[in-house]
Amino acid sequence: MIALPFLRSASPPLQGERLYMRPPQLSDYRAWATLRAQSREFLAPWEPLWAVDDLERGAFRHRVRHYDEEAAAGTAHPFFLFRNADSRLLGGITLGNIRRGVGQNGMIGYWIGEPFAGQGYMHEALGLLIPYAFTKVRLHRLEAACIPSNERSIRLLEKAGFQREGLLRSYLKINGMWQDHLLFALIEDDVRR
């Protein structure tokens, strides 16, 4: 499938108090590659192994094309996070693996650059994405999974209202090893209460 810009059904920008979120664009390459390179050791324990060419422009172009295809298919809504004060790239968050039919659910994944970790940016991003997922995308259930030793991510999800539902054994290959993950979920009715 070829990604054509005029056919793009990209997600609209979301505006918060300290940050805004919009779909990734090819023009984000330099800021993205710089932040990812700067944060590599910080991110490595929580992510799949990076390809040798992961930070190259061609790989980024392929990544954005894939994001566009998923957005056009309605299976994902990827966003980059930018600070309002100076439009500096902070990280990314994706509402992905969207399943329709009787499920109406999706999975949230996220990353934050090391210089911006622990400052509440990702909590604000979740605060923007959650209502978007339930009202605009019209999902019923959001899920997120994290490695049991990722205490920051566990606190973030719990603070955002997600409830721990169980352990997914050998769920994802992270940092070169199959790792167990804790499953968290947030249901539309939880937010209404």
Side-chain angles (χ1 to χ4, degrees):
M1 179 176 191
I2 298 172
L4 302 172
F6 57 86
L7 292 179
R8 189 176 190 181
S9 66
S11 308
L14 303 177
Q15 183 65 52
E17 202 173 303
R18 297 187 305 149
L19 63 84
Y20 65 93
M21 300 167 27
R22 65 158 172 76
Q25 301 172 358
L26 291 175
S27 59
D28 297 322
Y29 167 69
R30 186 158 312 284
W32 176 86
T34 300
L35 182 59
R36 296 282 295 175
Q38 180 182 16
S39 305
R40 187 176 200 134
E41 286 183 36
F42 174 73
L43 296 171
W46 321 117
E47 296 189 351
L49 290 177
W50 294 11
V52 174
D53 68 343
D54 197 65
L55 297 180
E56 293 180 14
R57 188 177 297 275
F60 184 75
R61 190 172 26 255
H62 176 74
R63 181 183 302 266
V64 171
R65 190 175 311 126
H66 181 72
Y67 288 154
D68 289 347
E69 290 169 358
E70 287 185 319
T75 59
H77 296 263
F79 293 95
F80 277 175
L81 285 55
F82 297 90
R83 189 165 51 195
N84 284 337
D86 56 7
S87 294
R88 183 142 182 221
L89 178 65
L90 305 170
I93 189 167
T94 300
L95 172 59
N97 295 325
I98 295 173
R99 296 172 304 280
R100 295 297 181 179
V102 298
Q104 301 297 328
N105 51 47
M107 179 70 76
I108 294 177
Y110 46 83
W111 67 274
I112 191 88
E114 184 174 17
F116 311 110
Q119 298 177 39
Y121 289 116
M122 194 55 69
H123 184 260
E124 183 174 343
L126 277 172
L128 295 171
L129 188 66
I130 290 167
Y132 174 80
F134 288 138
T135 59
K136 301 293 185 194
V137 185
R138 302 181 61 94
L139 296 179
H140 173 70
R141 175 184 170 90
L142 299 177
E143 298 176 349
C146 65
I147 295 170
S149 61
N150 191 343
E151 294 174 11
R152 276 185 163 174
S153 197
I154 291 169
R155 283 194 308 272
L156 170 69
L157 293 170
E158 289 175 341
K159 187 175 178 184
F162 283 75
Q163 295 180 28
R164 189 182 309 198
E165 292 193 337
L167 180 70
L168 302 168
R169 296 181 310 122
S170 196
Y171 183 59
L172 296 173
K173 196 170 190 178
I174 301 295
N175 201 18
M177 300 174 292
W178 288 102
Q179 305 237 8
D180 295 346
H181 280 65
L182 295 172
L183 176 65
F184 290 83
L186 183 66
I187 304 215
E188 184 180 17
D189 294 342
D190 296 339
V191 176
R192 285 190 188 146
R193 284 186 223 126

